[in-house]
Amino acid sequence: MITWPGTSIPKSTGNAFDLRSTVRPTVETRVCIKCGEEKPISTFNNSGKCGACRYQEQLMRKRHGGVYSRA
């Protein structure tokens, strides 16, 4: 008989709590077309690129980045 740690209370086995602790929910994933990493589908939009890659492209498109030269 298996008991709870530090007690003499018997642990039940084969119940719904045991099943739930072993089964992990599946997460849908996709592969980013730019970086090639597999990431959760929630980070994608219709472009096929993950959020990090879209953010990097957005930074590259910005002009000057807020710094101007005096020349």
Side-chain angles (χ1 to χ4, degrees):
M1 177 175 10
I2 301 171
T3 61
W4 288 98
T7 66
S8 59
I9 301 171
K11 231 181 188 185
S12 61
T13 57
N15 59 25
F17 296 107
D18 290 340
L19 178 63
R20 188 171 181 164
S21 67
T22 59
V23 176
R24 297 284 178 219
T26 58
V27 176
E28 291 185 51
T29 60
R30 282 177 60 186
V31 177
C32 177
I33 61 174
K34 185 170 182 184
C35 65
E37 293 183 24
E38 187 174 5
K39 297 184 179 180
I41 202 164
S42 61
T43 62
F44 290 88
N45 64 3
N46 294 334
S47 69
K49 297 175 189 163
C50 65
C53 290
R54 287 194 321 267
Y55 180 70
Q56 288 298 322
E57 285 184 351
Q58 182 184 15
L59 287 179
M60 296 303 287
R61 279 195 301 258
K62 285 186 177 179
R63 295 175 55 192
H64 299 294
V67 178
Y68 296 95
S69 67
R70 293 184 178 255

